[in-house]
Amino acid sequence: MEYSPSTSKPDILSTIFADLQPRKRLRYRIPFEVAMSHVCRRWRDVAFASPLLWKNIDVYSSESFDAVSSYLKRSHNCPVNIRIDIWQSDRNLDPHDGAISIMPIVDLLNEHATRWKTLLVFAYYRTTTNAILSRIKDLAAPLLERVHVVDDNMQTDLAHVIPFQQTFPTNPLFLLGGAPKLAVLHSNNLEQFPPLANVTTLHLRTSQSFFSSLDIDTHVFLDLATVCPSLSTLSIHSKYVGRWTVNDVAMPNLRSLWFSNSDTLAAKFLTTVRLPNLESLWLDCPHYQAINMIYDHHPRPSFLSLKYLTLQSFDYYASTKFSQVFPTIEALHLAYCNSFHITFLKQTLVEDRWQNLRTLAFRTTRETYAVKFSNILNELVIERHVGGRPILRVLMDSDLLTALTTANSVRTYTSLEELRADNYNDPWWILSHTNEERWV
């Protein structure tokens, strides 16, 4: 017997809907679940009776009220993901109007706070963000696992700010009723934090405003070490402003660390914060300056548990010093690096350096020196093999793999594969390709 979607039983049709629902949601496209509910009456009935189809609730402006109300009703009692992405509408309004106009939707969502699983707030004005967080200040969210709060840090002038703060306090704490399952937090404001006792993953990011920065100094990391005892994953994507006088701070549970900035924050952090169990480190910063500070520091810090190292936009000059500071790594990821000076990497690898290194991963935006890269890679793989310290795997993006002129020779001595989301075990690589990260 043959079945078609139009004749399938409701539970089968509901399963088909769930399997076909795309993970990525596009703002200007009719949502999948809405489209399915408009095909025919039968499909509409099945869609409305499938709560999980309506669990992702998007708010784009004050005009989203009716849609939010419908989604809350159709999702019944299942956990919901709330995304308040009002950056565009907020930018087009006066700061007062932007914050006030969204409050009816926030109040409606608050009635279902016990069902929140994910909460994203993305606004243009800091006053709008503060208004929303003030509104959820005392709520309890027992199922909430992830919070993402970002704005462009756009402020109003003083004449507007003072009276406005009388209604919406600046930088409020929020979710004071408790969020015991909250494990992941993204924020670009160090003063806007929910309870952090159970947070394991923290992303601190500068807003998109060109002049914005995070004021990161001693007290920030002293506080983090105290209030985030379970913190295992930390990324700091920001400009650094403030004095650095950290002394004897330990983060024993931290396993993964990522710096993306244009200053020496990474070096200051790595030389003064004890990280005995750090396994994965991603550096997108001035590498030469950072590694010199770490290398020359007395005493030089040790990272005996480090297995994965990513150097983004690296020029290869300081390869030897990196091998001396981080000697235990098993995998080296070189992301968007200029291959002109890859000879320095070869010199490091064929010397008695990085003895545990077994995986090399490469990504590039454009490979200008494909022939040189191909030849040097072939030589270093052969010499490591002959020296008894073989590179077991070489991973690279599809464009680079296509341009590799020595692929057949390289495959004689190592496994050569396209770098994919599922074949590199660096915790940062895995995290950046999870469905949850893509949704927020």
Side-chain angles (χ1 to χ4, degrees), residues 168-440:
F168 303 109
T170 302
N171 303 324
L173 295 173
F174 59 99
L175 298 176
L176 299 183
K181 292 187 177 182
L182 181 60
V184 180
L185 173 65
H186 297 240
S187 178
N188 72 329
N189 189 323
L190 295 179
E191 298 178 6
Q192 296 188 26
F193 281 154
L196 297 174
N198 297 316
V199 169
T200 60
T201 300
L202 177 61
H203 303 291
L204 302 176
R205 299 176 180 272
T206 300
S207 64
Q208 295 183 5
S209 170
F210 178 79
F211 298 101
S212 179
S213 64
L214 290 174
D215 190 2
I216 298 177
D217 59 16
T218 305
H219 301 291
V220 172
F221 292 106
L222 287 174
D223 291 344
L224 279 178
T226 302
V227 303
C228 291
S230 302
L231 189 64
S232 62
T233 302
L234 172 65
S235 72
I236 301 175
H237 302 248
S238 72
K239 303 172 188 176
Y240 167 59
V241 178
R243 297 181 57 199
W244 185 266
T245 57
V246 173
N247 185 27
D248 195 30
V249 175
M251 293 185 172
N253 292 319
L254 199 65
R255 299 293 192 274
S256 302
L257 181 61
W258 185 337
F259 286 96
S260 180
N261 43 37
S262 58
D263 49 51
T264 58
L265 176 60
K268 294 174 180 177
F269 186 99
L270 291 170
T271 54
T272 54
V273 179
R274 287 182 282 118
L275 305 165
N277 297 303
L278 186 67
E279 297 178 356
S280 176
L281 176 62
W282 190 306
L283 295 176
D284 179 13
C285 61
H287 300 96
Y288 194 79
Q289 186 178 7
I291 199 61
N292 281 335
M293 289 180 63
I294 301 172
Y295 185 85
D296 295 335
H297 190 272
H298 182 76
R300 187 185 300 168
S302 60
F303 307 92
L304 300 181
S305 299
L306 193 66
K307 296 180 180 179
Y308 300 92
L309 175 63
T310 294
L311 301 177
Q312 185 165 330
S313 303
F314 183 50
D315 62 10
Y316 296 106
Y317 273 116
S319 297
T320 296
K321 283 191 175 180
F322 272 98
S323 72
Q324 292 171 314
V325 172
F326 307 110
T328 63
I329 65 168
E330 300 174 6
L332 176 62
H333 176 198
L334 299 158
Y336 312 121
C337 302
N338 187 329
S339 297
F340 183 78
H341 298 294
I342 193 174
T343 303
F344 289 96
L345 177 66
K346 176 195 169 184
Q347 292 173 352
T348 299
L349 289 177
V350 299
E351 294 173 356
D352 193 21
R353 307 288 184 190
W354 276 328
Q355 296 188 19
N356 299 328
L357 186 65
R358 295 295 180 265
T359 300
L360 281 174
F362 298 92
R363 282 191 297 161
T364 184
T365 52
R366 184 182 62 178
E367 187 43 64
T368 306
Y369 307 100
V371 174
K372 181 176 183 178
F373 173 83
S374 300
N375 291 334
I376 295 297
L377 177 64
N378 187 50
E379 292 170 7
L380 73 84
V381 167
I382 292 174
E383 294 191 39
R384 289 280 293 203
H385 177 82
V386 172
R389 293 171 284 110
I391 301 297
L392 301 181
R393 301 173 72 214
V394 175
L395 309 172
M396 57 183 67
D397 61 44
S398 58
D399 290 340
L400 193 54
L401 186 58
T402 301
L404 192 67
T405 61
T406 57
N408 291 335
S409 178
V410 170
R411 285 192 173 96
T412 304
Y413 300 95
T414 188
S415 172
L416 181 61
E417 306 172 42
E418 179 181 342
L419 178 61
R420 304 188 308 273
D422 61 350
N423 67 347
Y424 187 48
N425 293 326
D426 177 9
W428 278 121
W429 183 257
I430 294 172
L431 182 64
S432 64
H433 289 83
T434 59
N435 286 335
E436 287 77 11
E437 290 298 313
R438 287 198 295 269
W439 189 81
V440 300

